[in-house]
Amino acid sequence: MSDPQRPTDPSGLERYYVLTGGRSAPGGAALGLDVATLVVSRAAPVAGMQHEHEAILRWCRDPLSVAELGAHLGLPFNILAVLVADLLEAGQVEARDPIPASSGLGPDLALLEEVLSGLERL
């Protein structure tokens, strides 16, 4: 019998605790993740894999930002970052900056001009 005082909402903190094995932040190579980081699958899901890991691999067949991935999966950033870190460590996904800077000093001006030109044509 369930306790009427205790919520049984599967989207609560207990669910996140279980999903991440009690971890609240990523470690290792995933420390640099942010919402704009692109994630792309390097492997296909395998039988017995955690459901959320499978979903990440499926959604990221094409590069997808961490923010977009979180929206699709309905997970907060810190929980998603832990799950992506698991896949990074296993070599099943790759994380990369969204747009590499050409000189390291700022955004690529040629790319910005192309975007501006495209917007003006709209």
Side-chain angles (χ1 to χ4, degrees):
M1 179 177 236
S2 67
D3 181 357
Q5 300 297 322
R6 185 172 175 187
T8 57
D9 181 10
S11 66
L13 295 176
E14 291 174 357
R15 175 176 175 251
Y16 297 149
Y17 183 87
V18 171
L19 287 178
T20 62
R23 297 168 291 160
S24 61
L31 285 175
L33 285 178
D34 65 25
V35 294
T37 301
L38 296 176
V39 179
V40 63
S41 300
R42 297 182 73 199
V46 295
M49 182 178 271
Q50 183 176 337
H51 172 73
E52 288 74 16
H53 286 144
E54 285 183 36
I56 291 168
L57 291 177
R58 283 192 171 83
W59 275 107
C60 294
R61 288 183 181 133
D62 293 319
L64 197 62
S65 74
V66 172
E68 292 171 302
L69 187 56
H72 288 301
L73 299 177
L75 293 172
F77 172 78
N78 62 329
I79 302 302
L80 184 59
V82 170
L83 297 174
V84 169
D86 292 343
L87 295 171
L88 278 168
E89 289 174 18
Q92 295 177 313
V93 297
E94 179 182 328
R96 46 187 145 156
D97 292 330
I99 301 173
S102 58
S103 65
L105 300 175
D108 183 353
L109 292 179
L111 175 63
L112 291 176
E113 289 173 359
E114 287 181 42
V115 170
L116 180 59
S117 175
L119 290 172
E120 288 173 346
R121 282 181 273 170
L122 293 175

